[in-house]
């Protein structure tokens, strides 16, 4: 910087004074974090009040900085615009200083700190100095000295701007904001998800609540009040005001105290006008703390969460468009039909035999072999298929549901269905499937719904869950 | 020679507007229909009419052709419309319609604190200046009538259910109870129309017709959409239900619900008269079809197609309906589950059993109407009867579908057209009370494919008067039902009267993610 100034514009005293001023100002900005260190404590209210205008004000310099290269480019055709660029650059710098001051007031006043806050802060400081440097580089550029310096500097501050803005966005909306709704394939590439993966009550029900409501300010990136809640250990460690959670004692746990205060209370959480926790979420937290706030327990007494078994996303089947005319032809008849699950071919076909059941046997099933790769559901209820059908069915790689109710199958060879990696539903109602054959289905991990009503394999009727009186 | 201004010599027609006459007169002149203009315009109109006729009949024949391929067993309707929009969770639905408006406070919306408020007036602030029906608007007082019945907690979910519904209690872990359903209509006819067709005025297609139109049939031998009416119990306060509720509106009448009678013979004149065998009947139908096809050629009315299709359906139903209604092969366990009422045609229990049998036979949508819930007075006398008629059978249906593996892809819906008031209509005594219509909240439930089991959705205030959390409007309710069946309610539309008509109407509707699996 100094060298640059020396060689360039020290020809007159005014220029020298300007350069000196710029260097001093930059040094001052760089020293700011040491003069008023972010110590994680809250300071004066007026600082926070003013600071909260930062998210509003910060967009002005962003707009102006982006305008500069646009003006420079447009200036290639209309020189008057290029002249404006210098002016805009100066205004941008002044706005940068303003936004920086407000941002610093916000961080300092509210006692925020964390990795992302630090990154955002340094991004802001560097960016301001960069814009200042641009002003000087531009005047050199217009006098045809260092023709490369200015464009290079401009490009790099644009990159820096994007990065800093992203850090700011992550502070406000949370780190996952951009990737939350990323389409699944891309998400796998990005490869995130730090959520605990066990099946404990904490992992299934408590962490998601904290993740949705608290982690934006009490996480890895921002640990307001010294409290982090992104892992179980951090959560139990607590913050500056003491432990957030006292196992067994929801009343004395700060976490529950804070979320149940009146919304207008100064200490109410989630702070900064974010939506309060829902009553059922608070109930879950309270029950979990009361029963020891364990990280491993899978059940919390008195709380039953209806298990909505997350159905696995079905694998897309291949494209059957080339078979479409034949399928349409088949569906026109009064016999067997291959009905699309939905308008998306990748959802597959349903084999429907309802109108031809009395005459639909193993041979008819085998004759449909060329459609097997696309069949996801086989409705063979009340048909005359036999145990031989298991062989054919096991050749439908995407089969998810098989209806064999009221058929003559007895279960010999049913183990062949183990070849079906997506099978979740098997209806054997009213067949003569033996208990042994039914037991062999246990090896199919994906199978969730097996119906054995009215079969020899039907489990002994469990005592009806009679109305129990739990006041 | 100067020409007279009104002499309209065809060679030298003067422009009247150029003549020095008052402007008012000119305007009048311009408006006068001259013979020349009349003839000229008529010619044009006739030309357009002829063109429209040409194009129109082309279009009609086009439509007829599309429907024709369907009748011939062409691509199922669903495929034609690119439906379902996404992979559905439920393939079929059964709607238990409790006509008259069941009192939510006595059944599923537990308000224990009301007991302390017995005979106190409901605060004016709760009613909020609501316009009441003519039946209670004149009442001097609105005394709170707490439910006469106790409630117990059932199931893993610990849901409170009235002692009137012990069997419903046994299945709460399979139910998705919606306490915050609310409607805009306060009287039966508009409310029941709104619930079924999405519009208070009659003439729009109902839910079942939309499903039949959108998804098509799953079998060739039974109608896509069937309606079962429950035999009327004369002791109850029965509001009329009529075929408008299962009408197809502007959709082809093929998609209207087919009602089965509640008597011994589910479809009248279904059996061939003596002396007419299957062969003769077939010839007769072929001849009728030939005539109908000629009519179609001449007039191009798509309703003719519907007629042809219905004749064919009726012919097939001659064998399929007796089989459907033949309960002799049902095992004893069926009767143990549904109860002895199920043996008597036309009872609610019988209809529930029929609904299960239709589900097994590929009927897309079955709607059972049970009347009598309109308990303006004598709640204590009527509710036990109504609940005895419906509670066990509703449970039996859900349990039966579940044990047979059908509940995974069948959506069962239970609900009426509105709720009932917390305050008593007429006198309130320890022995009896009445309840008036209440549109602002009522309780419904769903079970099966597409909904989250074992939850209660939405909350009402302590008087069960206003919804305080997660309201579900009728259109949201219907949108959610369509969603379970793989339909985006905004995309299932039909052009009529210049609008893209849909079940949920023009007001934006939203599916309710909280109740969906």
């Amino acid at each position: 910087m100094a060298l640059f100034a020396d060689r360039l514009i020290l020809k007159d005293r005014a220029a020298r004074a300007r350069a000196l001023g710029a260097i001093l100002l930059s040094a001052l900005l760089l020293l700011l974090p040491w003069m008023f260190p972010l110590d994680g404590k809250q300071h004066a209210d007026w600082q926070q009040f003013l600071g909260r205008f930062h998210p509003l004000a910060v967009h002005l310099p962003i707009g102006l900085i982006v305008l500069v290269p646009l003006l420079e480019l447009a200036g290639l055709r209309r020189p008057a615009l290029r002249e404006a660029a210098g002016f805009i650059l100066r205004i941008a710098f002044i706005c940068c200083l303003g936004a920086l001051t407000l941002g610093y007031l916000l961080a300092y006043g509210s006692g925020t700190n964390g990795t992302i806050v630090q990154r955002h802060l340094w991004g802001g400081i560097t960016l301001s100095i960069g814009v200042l440097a641009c002003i000087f580089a531009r005047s050199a550029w217009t006098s045809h000295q260092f023709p490369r310096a200015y464009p290079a500097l401009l490009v790099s501050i644009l990159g820096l701007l994007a990065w800093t803005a992203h850090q700011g966005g992550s502070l406000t909306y949370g780190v996952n904001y951009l990737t939350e709704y990323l389409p699944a394939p891309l998400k796998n590439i990005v490869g995130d998800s730090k959520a605990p993966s066990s099946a404990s009550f904490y992992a299934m029900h408590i962490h998601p609540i904290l993740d949705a409501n608290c982690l934006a300010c009490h996480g890895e990136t921002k640990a307001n009040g010294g409290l982090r809640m992104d892992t179980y250990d951090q959560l139990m460690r607590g913050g500056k005001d003491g432990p957030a959670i006292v196992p067994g004692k929801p009343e004395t746990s700060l976490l529950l105290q804070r979320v149940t205060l009146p919304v207008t209370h100064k200490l109410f959480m989630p702070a900064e006008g974010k939506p309060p926790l829902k009553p059922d979420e608070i109930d879950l937290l309270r029950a979990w703390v009361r029963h020891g706030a364990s990280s491993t327990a899978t059940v919390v007494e008195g709380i039953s969460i209806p298990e909505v078994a997350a159905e696995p996303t079905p694998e897309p089947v291949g494209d059957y468009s080339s078979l479409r005319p034949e399928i349409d032809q088949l569906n026109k008849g009064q016999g067997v039909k291959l009905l699309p699950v939905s308008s998306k071919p990748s959802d597959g076909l349903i084999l429907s035999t309802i109108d031809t059941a009395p005459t639909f046997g193993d041979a008819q099933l085998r004759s449909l072999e060329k459609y097997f790769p696309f069949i996801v559901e086989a409705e063979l209820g009340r048909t005359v298929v036999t145990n031989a059908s298991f062989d054919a069915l096991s050749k439908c790689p995407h089969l998810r549901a098989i209806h064999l109710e009221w058929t003559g199958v007895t279960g010999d060879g049913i183990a062949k269905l183990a070849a079906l990696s997506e099978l979740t539903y098997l209806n054997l109602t009213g067949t003569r499937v033996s208990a042994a054959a039914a037991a062999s289905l246990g090896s199919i991990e994906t199978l969730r719904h097996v119906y054995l009503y009215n079969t020899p394999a039907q489990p002994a009727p469990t005592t009806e869950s009679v109305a129990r009186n739990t006041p | 020679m100067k020409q007279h201004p009104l002499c309209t010599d065809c060679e030298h027609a003067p422009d009247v507007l150029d003549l020095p006459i008052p402007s008012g007169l000119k305007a009048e002149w311009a408006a006068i229909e001259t013979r020349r203009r009349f003839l000229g315009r008529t010619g044009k109109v006739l030309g357009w009419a002829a063109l429209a006729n040409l194009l129109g009949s082309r279009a009609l024949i086009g439509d007829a052709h599309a429907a024709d391929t369907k009748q011939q067993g062409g691509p199922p309707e669903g495929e034609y419309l690119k439906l379902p929009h996404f992979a559905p969770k439920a393939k079929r639905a059964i709607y238990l319609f409790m006509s008259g408006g069941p009192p939510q406070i006595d059944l599923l919306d537990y308000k224990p604190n009301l007991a302390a408020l017995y005979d106190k007036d409901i605060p004016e602030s709760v009613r909020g200046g609501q316009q009441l029906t003519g039946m209670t608007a004149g009442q001097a007082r609105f005394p709170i009538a707490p439910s006469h019945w106790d409630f117990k907690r059932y199931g893993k979910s610990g849901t409170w259910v009235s002692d009137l519904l012990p069997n419903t209690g046994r299945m709460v872990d399979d139910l998705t109870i919606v306490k915050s359903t609310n409607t805009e209509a306060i009287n039966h006819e508009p409310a029941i129309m709104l619930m079924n067709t999405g519009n208070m005025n009659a003439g729009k297609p109902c839910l079942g017709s939309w499903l039949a139109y959108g998804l098509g049939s799953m079998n060739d031998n039974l109608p896509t959409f069937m309606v079962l009416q429950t035999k009327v119990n004369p002791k109850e306060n029965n509001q009329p239900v009529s075929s408008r509720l299962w009408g197809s509106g502007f959709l082809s009448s093929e998609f209207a619900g087919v009602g089965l009678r509640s008597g011994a013979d589910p479809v009248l004149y279904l059996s061939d008269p003596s002396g007419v065998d299957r062969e003769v009947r077939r010839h007769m139908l072929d001849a009728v079809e030939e005539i109908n096809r000629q009519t179609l050629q001449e007039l191009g009315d798509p309703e003719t197609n519907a007629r042809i299709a219905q004749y064919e359906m009726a012919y097939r139903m001659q064998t399929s309906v007796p089989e459907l209604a033949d309960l002799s092969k049902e095992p004893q366990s069926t009767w143990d589950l549904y109860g002895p009422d199920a043996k008597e045609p036309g009872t609610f229990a019988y209809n529930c059993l029929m609904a299960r049998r239709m589900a097994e036979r590929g009927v897309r949508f079955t709607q059972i109407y049970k009347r009598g819930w309109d308990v303006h007075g004598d709640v204590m006398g009527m509710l036990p009867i109504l609940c005895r008629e419906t509670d066990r059978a509703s449970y039996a249906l859900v349990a039966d579908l579940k044990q047979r593996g059908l509940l995974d892809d069948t959506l069962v819906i239970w609900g009426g057209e509105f709720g009932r008031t917390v305050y008593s209509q007429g006198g309130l005594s320890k022995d009896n009370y009445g309840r008036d219509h209440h549109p602002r909240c009522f309780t419904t439930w769903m079970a099966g494919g597409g909904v989250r089991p074992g939850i209660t959705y939405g909350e009402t205030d302590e008087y069960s008067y206003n919804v305080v959390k997660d309201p579900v409007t009728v259109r949201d309710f219907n949108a959610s039902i369509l969603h379970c069946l793989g339909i985006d309610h905004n995309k299932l539309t039909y052009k009529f009267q210049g609008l893209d008509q849909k079940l949920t109407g023009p007001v934006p509707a939203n599916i309710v993610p909280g109740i969906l699996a």
Side-chain angles (χ1 to χ4, degrees):
Chain A
M1 182 85 187
L3 186 74
F4 165 72
D6 267 345
R7 285 184 51 192
L8 193 65
I9 37 173
L10 294 192
K11 281 165 195 145
D12 65 281
R13 302 183 121 230
R16 189 180 303 166
R18 274 204 298 274
L20 203 62
I23 292 167
L24 277 178
L25 193 55
S26 307
L28 194 70
L29 287 176
L30 287 168
L31 286 175
L32 193 63
W34 280 277
M35 290 190 292
F36 302 97
L38 296 178
D39 49 10
K41 289 190 199 116
Q42 289 205 7
H43 295 89
D45 281 356
W46 67 265
Q47 294 166 348
Q48 274 203 69
F49 170 71
L50 288 178
R52 288 192 181 188
F53 286 94
H54 171 72
L56 178 73
V58 77
H59 294 94
L60 190 58
I62 294 177
L64 291 172
I65 292 172
V66 173
L67 196 55
V68 173
L70 291 178
L71 287 174
E72 299 287 11
L73 289 176
L76 295 174
R77 301 198 66 173
R78 294 178 60 183
L81 290 173
R82 176 166 287 177
E83 280 176 28
F87 172 71
I88 296 288
L89 205 51
R90 284 175 176 80
I91 301 283
F93 176 66
I94 293 167
C95 292
C96 270
L97 288 184
L100 186 62
T101 314
L102 289 176
Y104 206 84
L105 282 175
L106 179 61
Y108 187 74
S110 63
T112 317
N113 203 351
T115 341
I116 297 199
V117 176
Q118 287 292 337
R119 282 191 210 150
H120 187 54
L121 170 64
W122 283 110
I125 291 176
T126 324
L127 188 63
S128 306
I129 296 174
V131 174
L132 184 59
C134 265
I135 297 176
F136 285 93
R138 191 174 187 280
S139 48
W141 179 63
T142 44
S143 52
H144 302 289
Q145 290 167 294
F146 302 105
R148 300 253 174 86
Y150 174 62
L153 203 52
L154 206 52
V155 169
S156 31
I157 67 164
L158 279 181
L160 183 61
L161 174 69
W163 181 79
T164 311
H166 176 64
Q167 303 304 323
S170 302
L171 280 176
T172 318
Y173 301 110
V175 197
N176 294 333
Y177 185 71
L178 275 184
T179 51
E180 195 173 358
Y181 292 101
L182 196 66
L186 288 174
K187 212 171 200 167
N188 292 339
I189 299 170
V190 178
D192 65 341
S193 171
K194 287 184 202 151
S197 55
S198 76
S200 69
F201 192 85
Y202 166 76
M204 298 290 289
H205 305 300
I206 303 300
H207 186 79
I209 299 177
L210 303 179
D211 192 16
N213 296 289
C214 316
L215 289 199
C217 304
H218 298 288
E220 189 188 350
T221 53
K222 214 171 157 188
N224 286 2
L227 175 64
R228 283 178 57 173
M229 306 166 96
D230 46 331
T231 66
Y232 177 77
D233 293 336
Q234 296 276 12
L235 172 65
M236 300 311 282
R237 195 172 297 147
K240 292 220 174 72
D241 295 342
I245 289 192
V246 185
K249 290 186 180 147
E251 318 75 50
T252 49
S253 298
L254 276 176
L255 172 64
L256 277 150
Q257 287 181 7
R258 295 290 176 87
V259 298
T260 49
L261 288 169
V263 181
T264 47
H265 196 284
K266 201 176 167 225
L267 294 176
F268 176 77
M269 287 288 154
E272 295 173 23
K274 296 201 178 77
L277 270 64
K278 298 184 189 78
D280 43 344
E281 292 176 333
I282 294 174
D283 289 346
L284 282 180
L285 285 172
R286 186 178 290 125
W288 177 67
V289 173
R290 181 177 297 127
H291 290 92
S294 156
S295 68
T296 50
T298 50
V299 192
V300 167
E301 206 181 318
I303 290 283
S304 79
I305 309 287
E307 275 310 314
V308 181
E311 297 284 339
T313 332
E315 289 286 314
V317 310
D319 189 1
Y320 53 80
S321 309
S322 56
L323 292 169
R324 203 54 194 258
E326 292 163 73
I327 292 171
D328 287 346
Q329 194 61 35
L330 211 55
N331 291 348
K332 270 181 199 162
Q334 300 247 325
V336 62
K337 294 186 172 67
L338 288 163
L339 306 171
V341 171
S342 81
S343 55
K344 272 204 313 227
S346 61
D347 282 335
L349 298 167
I350 300 173
L351 168 64
S352 165
T353 60
I354 204 156
D355 297 312
T356 178
T359 57
F360 191 89
D362 299 323
Q364 283 78 5
L365 180 60
R366 273 195 301 275
S367 72
L368 297 170
E369 186 155 4
K370 66 174 155 184
Y371 306 108
F372 282 2
F374 314 109
I375 295 177
V376 295
E377 181 166 353
E379 291 182 346
L380 300 172
R382 294 177 171 77
T383 58
V384 290
V385 296
T386 66
N387 288 335
S389 65
F390 295 128
D391 194 38
L393 289 171
S394 68
K395 289 180 190 146
C396 305
H398 289 294
L399 207 49
R400 291 166 208 146
I402 304 178
H403 298 260
L404 285 167
E405 59 269 24
W406 312 103
T407 58
V409 300
T410 59
D412 285 344
I414 204 167
K416 286 190 185 129
L417 297 183
L420 301 172
S421 59
E422 296 175 36
L423 189 67
T424 58
Y425 174 104
L426 177 60
N427 196 339
L428 295 166
T429 297
T431 60
R432 282 176 285 121
V433 167
S434 65
S440 72
L441 293 170
S443 63
I444 309 180
E445 274 176 26
T446 51
L447 203 51
R448 292 155 179 262
H449 312 277
V450 181
Y451 294 95
L452 295 168
Y453 170 68
N454 221 339
T455 62
Q458 185 176 16
T462 46
T463 38
E464 283 290 354
S465 54
V466 187
R468 70 188 159 81
N469 195 349
T470 43
Chain B
M1 189 186 99
K2 203 177 176 195
Q3 209 172 14
H4 189 273
L6 290 180
C7 169
T8 52
D9 179 348
C10 30
E11 266 106 331
H12 310 99
D15 193 343
V16 177
L17 301 179
D18 288 336
L19 296 174
I21 50 176
S23 60
L25 215 57
K26 283 185 185 176
E28 205 177 312
W29 169 257
I32 288 174
E33 194 89 278
T34 61
R35 179 171 49 206
R36 184 183 312 276
R37 275 184 58 165
F38 172 77
L39 289 175
R41 271 181 33 156
T42 312
K44 268 188 220 159
V45 167
L46 283 177
W48 278 113
L51 185 60
N53 194 28
L54 279 171
L55 291 175
S57 61
R58 277 281 290 279
L60 277 176
I61 288 167
D63 268 356
H65 184 71
D68 196 39
T69 48
K70 153 109 181 91
Q71 198 276 322
Q72 297 282 338
E77 199 65 27
E79 210 170 336
Y80 178 57
L81 290 168
K82 291 256 175 263
L83 276 159
H85 299 116
F86 44 86
K89 294 265 171 60
K91 284 187 206 146
R92 60 187 92 77
I94 298 171
Y95 200 143
L96 310 178
F97 202 97
M98 302 295 130
S99 156
Q104 74 283 4
I105 306 161
D106 296 304
L107 302 178
L108 292 161
D109 200 6
Y110 181 46
K111 298 292 170 197
N113 299 334
L114 286 182
L117 298 172
Y118 176 80
D119 205 21
K120 299 236 168 51
D121 276 307
I122 183 166
E124 188 59 42
S125 60
V126 173
R127 285 207 289 125
Q130 184 194 13
Q131 190 178 4
L132 304 177
T133 70
M135 290 165 283
T136 48
Q139 274 183 207
R141 291 189 58 218
F142 297 97
I144 289 168
S147 181
H148 169 71
W149 291 272
D150 287 332
F151 279 63
K152 290 193 185 66
R153 299 188 79 164
Y154 289 89
K156 285 192 199 126
S157 53
T159 308
W160 291 94
V161 179
S162 164
D163 284 354
L164 285 166
L165 301 172
N167 292 297
T168 302
R170 290 159 76 185
M171 60 172 169
V172 282
D173 287 339
D174 291 322
L175 302 186
T176 308
I177 297 174
V178 184
K179 287 189 178 171
S180 52
T181 339
N182 60 86
T183 178
E184 287 144 30
I186 200 169
N187 224 331
H188 297 285
E189 188 61 22
I192 202 169
M193 275 332 289
L194 183 67
M195 215 52 200
N196 278 285
T197 69
N199 196 303
M200 284 191 227
N201 297 315
K204 296 282 194 293
C206 65
L207 172 64
S209 294
W210 279 111
L211 290 176
Y213 167 70
L215 300 175
S217 176
M218 290 191 288
N219 79 96
D220 288 334
N221 299 314
L222 283 171
T224 315
F225 168 24
M226 296 192 80
V227 178
L228 300 167
Q229 289 197 65
T230 303
K231 230 169 23 182
V232 172
N233 181 345
K235 277 188 250 166
E236 291 163 3
N237 185 18
N238 294 295
Q239 292 299 331
V241 298
S242 64
S243 59
R244 300 188 269 190
L245 298 176
W246 50 91
S248 59
F250 42 76
L251 298 175
S252 164
S253 43
E254 267 174 90
F255 307 120
V258 173
L260 290 195
R261 298 173 72 247
S262 50
D265 205 358
V267 181
L268 279 182
Y269 315 119
L270 195 60
S271 36
D272 292 317
S274 55
V276 177
D277 60 13
R278 273 313 254 174
E279 190 79 4
V280 174
R281 175 56 56 111
R282 185 66 259 176
H283 284 315
M284 188 273 278
L285 285 175
D286 288 345
V288 170
E289 186 180 335
E290 189 53 41
I291 298 169
N292 278 331
R293 290 210 174 279
Q294 282 172 20
T295 313
L296 182 67
Q297 288 293 322
E298 283 163 23
L299 302 176
D301 181 356
E303 280 296 289
T304 315
N305 256 325
R307 172 168 285 255
I308 295 170
Q310 298 300 61
Y311 268 115
E312 285 302 314
M313 176 55 74
Y315 177 72
R316 292 197 293 274
M317 280 169 71
Q318 286 193 307
T319 49
S320 60
V321 167
E323 193 274 334
L324 171 72
D326 174 18
L327 304 182
S328 61
K329 291 203 192 81
E330 285 290 339
Q332 183 56 36
S333 61
T334 297
W335 310 115
D336 294 344
L337 185 60
Y338 287 83
D341 283 358
K343 290 195 171 173
E344 190 190 332
T347 61
F348 187 72
Y350 173 88
N351 284 342
C352 284
L353 176 56
M354 288 292 278
R356 188 264 284 161
R357 291 175 64 86
M358 289 181 193
E360 287 176 320
R361 282 159 183 75
V363 173
R364 180 75 72 178
F365 186 62
T366 307
Q367 199 166 18
I368 302 178
Y369 280 91
K370 166 67 193 134
R371 291 150 71 184
W373 287 98
D374 195 21
V375 286
H376 286 281
D378 193 19
V379 170
M380 287 195 201
M382 294 325 305
L383 269 195
I385 300 175
L386 285 156
C387 292
R388 215 164 28 240
E389 285 171 338
T390 55
D391 174 50
R392 179 171 180 175
S394 310
Y395 163 75
L397 175 62
V398 173
D400 203 11
L401 291 172
K402 195 179 177 187
Q403 71 184 359
R404 287 163 187 266
L406 287 161
L407 196 59
D408 295 73
D409 53 9
T410 307
L411 177 68
V412 183
I413 309 148
W414 181 99
E417 68 267 41
F418 42 55
R420 305 205 82 84
T421 54
V422 62
Y423 58 81
S424 180
Q425 173 175 359
L428 170 68
S429 73
K430 283 288 178 195
D431 304 319
N432 225 331
Y433 54 91
R435 295 196 191 279
D436 196 8
H437 307 167
H438 184 63
R440 289 196 187 176
C441 69
F442 59 107
T443 304
T444 52
W445 58 253
M446 300 194 210
V451 289
R452 279 176 71 182
I455 63 157
T456 299
Y457 188 83
E459 276 169 32
T460 55
D461 62 13
E462 52 192 308
Y463 300 96
S464 187
Y465 205 96
N466 296 300
V467 173
V468 292
K469 195 179 154 206
D470 299 332
V472 176
T473 61
V474 173
R475 48 184 187 279
D476 294 349
F477 190 75
N478 283 337
S480 302
I481 294 173
L482 291 182
H483 182 89
C484 291
L485 287 134
I487 296 173
D488 177 341
H489 63 93
N490 282 322
K491 288 196 201 150
L492 179 60
T493 60
Y494 188 90
K495 267 201 198 312
F496 181 67
Q497 291 181 338
L499 284 176
D500 283 331
Q501 307 265 1
K502 51 188 182 183
L503 174 64
T504 49
V507 180
N510 299 298
I511 58 166
V512 185
I515 63 172
L516 298 171

